[in-house]
Structures are given as structure tokens and as C-alpha cells.
């Protein structure tokens, strides 16, 4: 039989049980090469690009984009050699049985598992999770061939599962030729075919796909359409809504914020701080450090130092227990295409301004590209949400559970003040609002934290000294 492969819903992390195909980057019948992006898979926490592990052709697309969530292991598409017949593909689909690859499942529960004798015990000194070791014993995987992707090279369940999958690079015989003149354009194969068919120039097209990739819809939008007749008089039509179901990330955000607002007793501490000294120091410091640290980076540093000095605010609330942390892991609220996400700057109290700037830049770029990993958003002891760049003067934020507090930062405003000699003057001020979980943090503790934060912003030289 021809080399036919099943493409199933992948599993990322122990908690993942299902995913949704957000977008197919190739169409049925398209040839693809190893490393090419095949589709975007959306889970409850992240959206991941799935890249091809071998060369093949998408012979049959089973689950279209934008449909219902599919369980891990469900058949999404069938890959095969170019010369594989439709009958062979249909026979493969008819005989396919989804494997149960959930961590909690036992080998006897897998529909495709064949009866075997007791698994061979594996002895190893390498760091490996218990479930990964169990799977390696069940599938007879040689751990020498497995590269651990966990912390300190720890072998995870997914590492063993991926190693157990067969690898091949079949030689393709029949993808349709595309004009060599289109080789320099970052476009999908289908978009290139349509460009040739309809004589559309790809130069100047702004792609709507990931990283600006030109997609089929971008080319079709330039194909000539019949002129629309102009009506002589305006006729009001029905104002029908465009109903867009919440994606998984927005559902999670909506659920968490609803729970937070309805179950956490919020109280708010608001103050306005002078920012002229910080703005002046930032110009000089960025030149000396050779970075483009934003005002938010300096606020992260200031909040981290204040949290280290006031550990009663650097907490998480878990049921009836309050967790105190030695370091400030600060979540930074970022607006992404999939909704609000909060990647974490870990141990920010131990980092210099330039290190914080570099870390936040990487996290923001990943968030806007939808490539944040679960580990980059899991945890956090405090959150900063800054809407000042949108012209918002002041606002109150909802606490991000299980954290005990969140700082809302407004924009910089110029306000009238009295100069040192009684003359009229103006100064730059920033409005801050601290939302506090009253179950864990008292008003006095929150007020002392805000006083320290105010002092660090108005006398920013302290941002470059020791924490104590």
C-alpha cells in the first residue's frame, strides 16, 4: 500500500483534551514540504502553528477550519504520496481507529493497542516524568534516542510519544508546477496557483496570513468582479448582526474574569504620581544601557522592588490559604489577536531595566503572534495592566486570580501645579489604581505598597540600586 499517514489532533500538555482547527494553511490536494506550516490549532490557552514533519500531499481534509472542538487523537486529515489513489485513501479512513493518547489512559484502553506481554522495565538515570517512563516501557522506546524538552532536559510524555511516531520523507512525483517568478514571494502554494491562473501580480499584496503570508483570499480579492449597479435612492435594510462565537481563549478569559469579579472582594487604592523625573531619567538610562525600555518596563521594575519590600502584597490566594513568594513574578497584560493574555516576567525584582525590556519585548511579540507557551502564562504573583498608550486617564482592573492584586496604569497628563517660588507651572502625572483582594491583603498593606511605588517613580534613581 502507498505511504499514507494520519494527521490527528495533537496533544500539548497534560491538561489538553481537545482542540479546534483555527485555520488550514494548505488546501486539499496541496503538496507540502517538511517544516512548512500546515494549520493553526487553538486550545483553551494558546494557538499553535503545526509544521510538517515530512514531505507529502494533503489527500483528504476531514475536519475543516472553524468547526467544533475535536478530541485529542481525532483524525483531522490524511497525508500521502502524490500518486496515492482516492480508493486507497478512503480504505485507510475506513480502517482508521483513533488512538487514546491521554496521559490518564492505560494501554489496555487504547483502541489501536494490540495485546502484548508485560512491558519491559526500563532503567535510566536521565530525568523523566513517570508517565513518560510508563509510555516508553509500553511502546518499547529507547530513551537514548529521545531528546528531553522539559526543564533541565527532562523527558516529557510528549517527547516519548513523538519519538515513537514513524518518520519518513517520501519522494513526491506530481505537484503542479508554479511559475519560477513567484518563488521569491511568501505565499501559499494555492495562492501562487491562483495568481498564475488569474494573472494577478503578487507584488504589493499585503498578506493576511501568519507573518504576512499571502493567502488564497488575498489573491481572490484582486480578481476582477462584475460592477455593482448604483441605486438611485437609499433604501434602509435590516441591521443584522455578524455573530462570531467566542474562541477558546476568550471563553477562558470571560469565565475567569466573571468568577474573579463575583467571588473576590475587591477594594481600590488610587493615587496620582509625578512622572517628570522618571521620563527624564529614562531618556538618559536608555542611551547608557543601549536599549529602548518603555515606560511600562520601568513601572515593572518599580512594582517588583515595591513587592520585594512589601511581601504581604506579593501573594496568591488558594481557597483558605495565602501563598507568599520570595520573588516578584509580574504578569504584563497584553492585547493579542485572540484576546487578553498575561505573559510573565519572572523574578523581575532580580532583573535590571535592560533585562526586563528584552524579556517583555519577546513576550509581547509572541503574544501578538499567538505563540505564547502555557509555561509563559502559568502563575504570576502580581499583574500590571497599562492602557495609558490608548489615551485612558484612569481605570480600575479586575484581579487576575489566584493573584492578590493588580495595578492599573493610566496615561500621562499635564497638570497645573505651583512652582518652588509660587509661580504657575505644569507637571506630568500618571494615575495609578491598585485593585486588591481584601481576603488576603489589608488596606494598610496595600497603602504602604503604593507609597513605596510612588517614591520609586518620583525618585527613579532607586530603580538602579539595591532592593533592600
Amino acid at each position: 500500500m502507498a505511504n499514507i499517514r494520519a494527521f490527528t489532533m495533537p496533544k500539548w500538555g497534560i491538561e489538553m483534551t481537545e482542540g479546534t482547527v483555527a485555520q488550514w494553511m494548505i488546501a486539499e490536494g496541496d503538496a507540502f514540504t517538511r517544516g512548512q506550516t500546515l494549520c493553526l490549532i487553538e486550545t483553551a490557552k494558546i494557538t499553535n502553528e503545526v509544521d510538517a514533519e515530512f514531505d507529502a500531499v494533503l489527500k483528504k481534509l476531514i475536519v475543516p477550519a472553524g468547526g467544533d472542538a475535536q478530541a485529542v487523537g481525532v483524525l483531522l486529515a490524511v497525508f500521502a504520496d502524490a500518486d496515492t489513489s482516492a480508493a486507497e485513501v478512503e480504505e485507510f479512513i475506513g480502517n482508521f481507529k483513533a488512538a487514546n493518547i491521554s496521559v490518564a489512559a492505560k494501554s489496555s484502553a487504547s483502541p489501536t493497542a494490540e495485546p502484548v506481554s508485560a512491558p519491559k522495565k526500563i532503567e535510566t538515570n536521565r530525568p523523566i516524568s513517570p508517565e513518560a517512563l510508563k509510555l516508553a516501557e509500553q511502546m518499547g522506546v529507547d530513551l537514548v534516542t529521545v531528546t528531553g524538552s522539559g526543564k533541565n532536559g527532562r523527558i516529557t510524555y510528549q517527547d516519548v510519544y513523538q519519538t515513537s511516531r514513524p518518520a519518513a520523507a517520501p519522494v513526491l512525483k506530481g505537484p503542479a508546477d508554479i511559475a519560477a517568478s513567484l518563488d521569491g514571494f511568501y505565499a501559499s502554494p494555492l495562492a501562487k496557483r491562483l495568481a498564475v491562473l488569474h494573472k494577478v501580480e503578487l507584488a504589493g499584496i499585503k498578506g493576511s496570513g501568519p507573518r504576512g503570508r499571502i493567502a488564497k483570499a488575498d489573491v481572490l480579492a484582486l480578481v476582477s468582479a462584475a460592477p455593482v449597479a448604483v441605486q438611485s435612492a437609499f433604501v434602509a435594510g435590516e441591521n443584522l448582526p455578524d455573530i462570531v462565537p467566542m474562541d477558546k481563549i476568550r471563553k477562558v478569559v470571560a469565565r475567569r474574569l466573571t468568577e474573579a469579579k463575583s467571588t473576590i472582594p475587591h477594594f481600590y487604592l488610587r493615587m496620582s504620581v509625578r512622572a517628570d523625573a522618571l521620563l527624564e531619567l529614562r531618556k538618559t538610562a536608555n542611551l547608557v544601557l543601549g536599549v529602548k525600555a518603555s515606560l511600562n518596563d520601568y513601572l515593572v521594575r518599580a512594582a517588583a522592588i515595591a513587592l520585594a519590600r512589601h511581601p504581604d502584597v506579593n501573594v496568591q490566594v488558594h481557597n483558605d490559604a495565602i501563598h507568599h513568594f520570595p520573588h516578584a513574578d509580574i504578569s504584563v497584560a497584553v492585547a493579542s489577536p485572540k484576546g487578553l493574555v498575561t505573559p510573565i516576567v519572572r523574578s523581575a525584582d532580580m532583573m535590571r531595566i535592560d533585562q526586563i525590556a528584552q524579556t517583555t519585548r519577546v513576550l509581547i511579540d509572541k503574544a501578538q503572534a499567538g505563540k505564547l507557551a502555557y509555561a509563559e502564562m502559568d502563575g504570576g504573583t502580581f499583574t500590571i495592566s497599562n492602557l495609558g498608550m490608548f489615551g485612558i486617564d484612569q481605570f480600575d482592573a479586575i484581579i487576575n486570580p489566584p493573584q492578590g492584586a493588580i495595578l492599573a496604569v493610566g496615561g500621562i497628563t499635564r497638570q497645573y501645579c505651583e512652582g518652588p517660588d509660587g509661580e504657575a507651572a505644569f507637571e506630568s502625572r500618571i494615575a495609578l489604581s491598585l485593585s486588591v483582594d481584601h481576603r488576603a491583603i489589608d488596606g494598610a498593606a496595600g497603602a504602604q505598597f503604593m507609597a513605596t511605588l510612588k517614591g520609586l517613580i518620583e525618585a527613579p534613581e532607586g530603580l538602579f540600586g539595591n532592593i533592600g
Side-chain angles (χ1 to χ4, degrees), residues 309-322:
R309 294 178 182 174
H310 301 279
D312 287 348
V313 180
N314 192 41
V315 299
Q316 290 182 353
V317 182
H318 296 269
N319 298 321
D320 294 331
I322 302 174

Side-chain angles (χ1 to χ4, degrees), residues 126 146-159:
R126 298 181 63 188
V146 180
T147 301
S149 63
K151 187 176 182 179
N152 298 323
R154 189 170 189 257
I155 299 174
T156 67
Y157 182 94
Q158 188 69 6
D159 296 330

Side-chain angles (χ1 to χ4, degrees), residues 6-12 53 72-74 96-103 110 112 128 131-136 139 141 143 146-147 155-166:
F7 176 55
T8 61
M9 178 61 69
K11 182 177 180 65
W12 296 303
E53 299 179 0
V72 170
V74 166
F96 177 81
K97 294 181 180 179
N100 185 352
I101 64 171
S102 64
V103 171
S110 175
T112 58
I128 183 172
E131 292 296 339
L133 180 60
K134 186 187 301 183
L135 180 65
M139 305 190 72
V141 175
L143 294 181
V146 180
T147 301
I155 299 174
T156 67
Y157 182 94
Q158 188 69 6
D159 296 330
V160 176
Y161 174 71
Q162 291 292 346
T163 303
S164 69
R165 297 177 64 185

Side-chain angles (χ1 to χ4, degrees), residues 320-335:
D320 294 331
I322 302 174
H323 295 195
H324 294 81
F325 295 86
H327 297 295
D329 291 343
I330 297 186
S331 303
V332 181
V334 179

Side-chain angles (χ1 to χ4, degrees), residues 16 214 277 292 300 372 453 458:
M16 179 178 174
I214 300 174
K292 293 183 178 179
V300 169
L372 279 173
L453 182 63
E458 295 186 346

Side-chain angles (χ1 to χ4, degrees), residues 286 289 291-305 328-332 343-364 384 463-464 467:
N286 281 0
L289 297 173
V291 297
K292 293 183 178 179
S294 68
L295 178 62
N296 204 62
D297 296 327
Y298 284 84
L299 293 177
V300 169
R301 170 66 174 161
I305 295 176
D329 291 343
I330 297 186
S331 303
V332 181
I344 302 168
V345 181
R346 300 194 183 275
S347 296
D349 55 307
M350 306 298 292
M351 301 173 70
R352 302 188 308 269
I353 290 292
D354 57 323
Q355 294 171 327
I356 291 175
Q358 292 165 359
T359 301
T360 55
R361 184 69 267 164
V362 171
L363 292 173
I364 290 172
I384 293 179
L463 300 179
F464 297 90
I467 297 174

